[in-house]
Amino acid sequence: MSTAGVADAISTEDSSGYEHSDLRRRPFVSRHREAIDYIATDSTESRRWAVPDQNASAEPSRTGTTLARAGLCVRRAIQKRNSENLIEFLLPSWRWLKAYDWKESIVSDVVAGLTVGVMVVPQSMSYAKLAGLPVEYGLYSALVPVYAYAFFGSSRQLAVGPVALVSLLLQTGLSLALENDNHFPEDPGYQERYNRLAIQTSFLVGVCYIVMGLLRLGFVTIFLSHAVISGFTTGAAVIIGMSQVKYILGYEIESSKSFHKLLQELFENINKFNYKTFLMGAFSILALVLMKHVGKQFPKLKGVRAMGPLSVTAVTIIITLAFGLDKKGIPVVGTIPKGLPKFTAGDWTPVDQVGNLFLVVLSIVVVGFMESIAIAKQLASKHKYEIDSSQELIGLGMANFLGGMFQAYPVTGSFSRSAVNNEGGAKSGVSGMVTATLVGFVLLLLTVVFEKLPLSVLAAIVISGVLGLLDYEEAMFLWKVHKFDFAVWLTACIGTMFLGVEIGLAIAVGVSLLIVVYESAYPHTTILGRLPGTTNYRSAKQYSNVEVYDGIVMIRIDAPLYFANAQNVRDKIRKYRLIAEERAAANDSSVRFFILDLSPVSHVDTSALHILADMNANYNSRGQIICICNPGIVVMDRLIHSGLVEKIGRQNFFPSVHDALNDCLRKMDKEATLVHDSFHGLSEDGVDMEAPAKQFG
């Protein structure tokens, strides 16, 4: 562009920085500039558009069972995929394997895998003890399931294996199931029966995950709010920690699922206090917490965090061997079978306790998936790839299903180990394979080393691990931001602590569903007003300077209308009407029009249609008119087929609030003009009927 051209272009700008509409003076006019000027002119013409009578059949069907729709989706997906895409669908690891850069990624994956491996060995044994299983079951659960997830899982950094929360759910659930069947810990064969139920639970959890994944049910966890899950996790963390205190204090207490009973048992048996185990356990907790803190605070020492459990384990084993502490009153792990796990698919059936196992399986499925998908999505976001919730269900399902074949108990993604895996530089599932290989090496060659590990150290590892689950920061945040969510958090937390994990989880789920029902049954509605200088209509509560107009009430409904909330919406609109009529009476006027903005309303059922019809008849009898704005395709189709469009009047449907307001103002203007002219004896064209006719030459 020439200097003169630039000067001409600049000269067309006014002091506010906007260009004049005289495009002839611009040397270049883009299509965007043309659109700006066209909209500026066209939007002032105030043309009236009707809401089209489109059939909603183009919309996805809302009918049919979930099973039928899910099966159709799977069939269509398989039909559309070529052989390579089908492999990716069934084996997600193929996506990263075919593009894997062996030169650049293998080293970081191996380092990350080894780092997680040295962390998971002592942790898995600790969590197995928490789950009421022999410690080797923890190692078994960190072997085959980890391999399985590496191939079938969709997350590249998620570290799968035993976790504290699932271990607690399993222990409380299986103990209750056996107790209901009159089997108690002192009975002969109790532990074998318990171990078998743990394997069956892993199998059933795997089947549930796989079925949910195939049915595309990954969305189900959205019904559990963050406040509910945080409260439940915090309460469960307290129970987990309290259940391990007995190993720190050095004496047995009666098992319990509630905080106050555990506390009571601890104090009643305080005379059995063993200072040796207490010192060992307390110093182990301090060392683990300190190493975790150092790893977080100093990036250059981040490896210290992962090495914490193994370092403490190694040091305490050496001390125990050197001073013979196992013979001086400090309990140790004892014999650990050497070798790889046995094939246990034959233990899947018969499931004698299927009724009692149902709640255990359900709780592990819900909590396990939520814990796993939360960290998986967070890590995927950091590494800029997508996680399919339903595919993740299949990955976890295969991990538990195949794990159940080889003496594993239910597993899920671990927050702490996944964080370490990510910090270690994991790029793919290869890191998980390295971790599982290290666990296999320990099972084959090093189990004898861990036989002298003090039980108080295992308890210390569990306690230090669950400290991160105490989400008190979230409670403080909720108290400042949303008191109701804080009350929900407190309910879930206290319910879990004092009533037990199963009841606590039931309370958490129940509170979540109540929140969904409440928010649905009491949807948000608001009075609208026009923002000065625009055609935008916003909430009068949010924008104090919006313009409202005499005789017209503009209302927006911010939710689908159905049987649960239609009555409440009618009551709210009635309240708005009474307030508007009271104000109008003070100004010696009346309310004539109610403009309902239905743009946020995605669905309307027959109950809501009947209530809308009753409202229309009631308001019409008062000389008031209801206008409908911007109904969606599905909503408009229902209004047409119900006959409500004819009852309200086709002329009272508008594509926007602005169009409806203009039309209502014109009608009110016409009515006011007729009243004024009639009162002053004027004709419709404003001529005085009693004045002599003016003579034109």
Side-chain angles (χ1 to χ4, degrees):
M1 182 183 293
S2 65
T3 304
V6 173
D8 288 341
I10 294 175
S11 66
T12 61
E13 297 184 0
D14 60 17
S15 59
S16 62
Y18 291 94
E19 298 176 4
H20 297 295
S21 60
D22 185 5
L23 300 181
R24 291 174 298 176
R25 298 183 62 186
R26 290 172 56 113
F28 169 74
V29 179
S30 71
R31 64 179 186 275
H32 311 297
R33 180 70 252 178
E34 292 175 347
I36 291 171
D37 285 289
Y38 169 75
I39 292 172
T41 303
D42 186 69
S43 61
T44 62
E45 294 187 6
S46 299
R47 281 176 288 182
R48 170 74 185 276
W49 290 86
V51 179
D53 297 344
Q54 292 175 313
N55 194 304
S57 60
E59 287 284 299
S61 175
R62 296 179 179 268
T63 60
T65 65
T66 301
L67 181 62
R69 285 184 283 129
L72 181 62
C73 290
V74 172
R75 289 197 299 273
R76 286 178 177 175
I78 293 176
Q79 290 170 0
K80 290 181 180 179
R81 295 173 186 269
N82 55 34
S83 58
E84 184 173 348
N85 288 339
L86 184 57
I87 292 174
E88 290 184 4
F89 176 73
L90 299 175
L91 198 67
S93 59
W94 181 251
R95 298 172 191 168
W96 55 261
L97 275 174
K98 65 181 181 180
Y100 190 71
D101 189 337
W102 291 92
K103 290 184 179 180
E104 292 190 6
S105 301
I106 188 64
V107 174
S108 57
D109 272 336
V110 169
V111 171
L114 291 174
T115 305
V116 174
V118 299
M119 187 178 183
V120 76
V121 169
Q123 267 194 353
S124 62
M125 291 192 293
S126 302
Y127 293 149
K129 195 72 177 173
L130 172 63
L133 293 163
V135 293
E136 63 268 18
Y137 274 69
L139 295 172
Y140 299 156
S141 301
L143 183 64
V144 174
V146 178
Y147 277 126
Y149 184 83
F151 285 100
F152 295 99
S154 55
S155 175
R156 300 168 193 174
Q157 286 78 31
L158 186 69
V160 166
V163 298
L165 202 51
V166 170
S167 299
L168 178 66
L169 289 170
L170 184 74
Q171 190 273 329
T172 54
L174 295 189
S175 298
L176 182 62
L178 288 172
E179 185 180 326
N180 290 339
D181 202 35
N182 295 319
H183 294 292
F184 301 95
E186 57 272 13
D187 297 343
Y190 177 88
Q191 189 62 56
E192 288 75 14
R193 188 175 286 107
Y194 187 99
N195 297 348
R196 186 167 178 268
L197 285 179
I199 292 169
Q200 290 178 343
T201 303
S202 180
F203 161 67
L204 293 174
V205 168
V207 170
C208 287
Y209 276 142
I210 292 170
V211 171
M212 289 173 66
L214 292 175
L215 297 181
R216 311 296 293 173
L217 297 180
F219 66 89
V220 293
T221 56
I222 63 176
F223 292 106
L224 295 176
S225 71
H226 182 72
V228 165
I229 293 303
S230 174
F232 167 73
T233 303
T234 300
V238 173
I239 297 297
I240 292 170
M242 289 298 297
S243 69
Q244 299 300 297
V245 171
K246 64 181 181 180
Y247 297 111
I248 304 295
L249 298 180
Y251 57 86
E252 285 294 326
I253 62 170
E254 186 178 343
S255 297
S256 179
K257 299 178 291 183
S258 55
F259 174 77
H260 62 287
K261 290 183 179 179
L262 284 170
L263 205 59
Q264 181 182 352
E265 285 289 327
L266 287 172
F267 281 110
E268 285 181 352
N269 295 276
I270 195 66
N271 59 310
K272 301 177 183 178
F273 174 73
N274 185 338
Y275 75 92
K276 298 175 185 177
T277 58
F278 175 76
L279 290 175
M280 179 73 76
F283 278 116
S284 297
I285 293 174
L286 288 174
L288 288 166
V289 172
L290 179 62
M291 294 179 78
K292 185 184 293 186
H293 177 75
V294 169
K296 286 183 177 180
Q297 293 297 316
F298 304 99
K300 292 183 179 180
L301 300 175
K302 60 183 179 181
V304 173
R305 175 187 178 188
M307 293 297 294
L310 188 64
S311 300
V312 171
T313 298
V315 170
T316 52
I317 288 175
I318 292 171
I319 293 174
T320 302
L321 288 171
F323 296 98
L325 298 182
D326 56 320
K327 299 175 183 178
K328 296 179 180 179
I330 294 185
V332 295
V333 170
T335 304
I336 302 176
K338 182 180 179 181
L340 298 176
K342 298 184 300 182
F343 184 75
T344 52
D347 292 337
W348 288 353
T349 55
V351 185
D352 299 326
Q353 304 283 335
V354 64
N356 292 327
L357 287 181
F358 174 76
L359 290 178
V360 185
V361 171
L362 180 63
S363 61
I364 291 175
V365 165
V366 173
V367 174
F369 180 60
M370 290 194 55
E371 184 172 349
S372 183
I373 197 65
I375 185 67
K377 286 191 173 183
Q378 183 180 359
L379 292 173
S381 176
K382 287 182 179 179
H383 292 273
K384 296 179 173 56
Y385 66 91
E386 294 295 326
I387 287 289
D388 183 346
S389 297
S390 297
Q391 185 67 61
E392 188 66 9
L393 279 168
I394 295 176
L396 289 174
M398 292 302 295
N400 283 281
F401 182 82
L402 295 177
M405 288 184 178
F406 297 95
Q407 287 186 274
Y409 73 93
V411 299
T412 191
S414 164
F415 279 98
S416 59
R417 294 196 299 274
S418 297
V420 169
N421 197 35
N422 181 59
E423 292 167 4
K427 298 290 191 296
S428 68
V430 171
S431 64
M433 299 178 194
V434 173
T435 298
T437 302
L438 180 60
V439 173
F441 177 78
V442 170
L443 281 167
L444 289 171
L445 302 174
L446 299 178
T447 54
V448 67
V449 175
F450 293 96
E451 291 180 357
K452 296 298 182 181
L453 178 62
L455 294 180
S456 59
V457 176
L458 286 179
I461 292 173
V462 173
I463 292 172
S464 67
V466 299
L467 287 177
L469 298 179
L470 298 174
D471 203 0
Y472 61 90
E473 292 181 351
E474 179 67 15
M476 294 169 63
F477 172 78
L478 294 175
W479 174 258
K480 290 193 301 182
V481 176
H482 200 293
K483 297 294 191 295
F484 179 76
D485 274 355
F486 174 78
V488 169
W489 184 95
L490 202 60
T491 301
C493 181
I494 293 177
T496 303
M497 286 176 59
F498 291 95
L499 299 177
V501 178
E502 299 93 342
I503 298 178
L505 180 60
I507 290 173
V509 173
V511 169
S512 287
L513 293 178
L514 283 176
I515 292 172
V516 172
V517 172
Y518 176 82
E519 294 291 347
S520 178
Y522 295 90
H524 180 262
T525 60
T526 187
I527 296 289
L528 298 178
R530 189 180 71 87
L531 287 174
T534 73
T535 58
N536 297 323
Y537 294 80
R538 297 292 182 265
S539 170
K541 281 188 176 181
Q542 186 177 6
Y543 296 87
S544 59
N545 59 334
V546 294
E547 297 175 351
V548 294
Y549 302 90
D550 292 339
I552 302 174
V553 181
M554 297 177 285
I555 303 167
R556 188 181 69 223
I557 303 169
D558 293 328
L561 287 173
Y562 69 114
F563 65 91
N565 65 12
Q567 181 63 50
N568 180 265
V569 170
R570 174 165 66 179
D571 292 342
K572 285 189 173 183
I573 294 175
R574 178 177 176 274
K575 182 182 73 173
Y576 296 148
R577 175 177 64 80
L578 293 175
I579 294 173
E581 288 177 345
E582 184 179 344
R583 291 176 179 173
N587 296 326
D588 198 23
S589 61
S590 62
V591 178
R592 291 279 289 112
F593 294 95
F594 290 85
I595 300 174
L596 303 184
D597 181 9
L598 300 189
S599 54
V601 179
S602 59
H603 167 71
V604 59
D605 73 352
T606 53
S607 298
L609 291 172
H610 285 304
I611 286 178
L612 286 174
D614 292 343
M615 283 176 57
N616 181 66
N618 181 24
Y619 284 35
N620 286 170
S621 67
R622 297 169 174 271
Q624 296 167 334
I625 297 173
I626 291 178
C627 300
I628 304 294
C629 297
N630 197 24
I633 294 176
V634 173
V635 174
M636 190 63 185
D637 185 65
R638 300 273 169 82
L639 294 173
I640 291 171
H641 285 87
S642 67
L644 199 53
V645 170
E646 286 72 23
K647 293 177 181 178
I648 294 176
R650 194 64 182 79
Q651 72 279 6
N652 294 321
F653 281 75
F654 303 88
S656 70
V657 175
H658 188 66
D659 289 345
L661 176 63
N662 280 333
D663 187 78
C664 294
L665 288 173
R666 290 191 187 98
K667 290 176 179 177
M668 293 177 68
D669 172 65
K670 185 175 181 180
E671 292 174 0
T673 302
L674 288 174
V675 171
H676 175 272
D677 290 351
S678 175
F679 181 78
H680 290 87
L682 303 177
S683 64
E684 290 187 4
D685 56 4
V687 177
D688 189 343
M689 299 300 296
E690 297 181 359
K694 185 176 181 179
Q695 301 296 320
F696 293 93

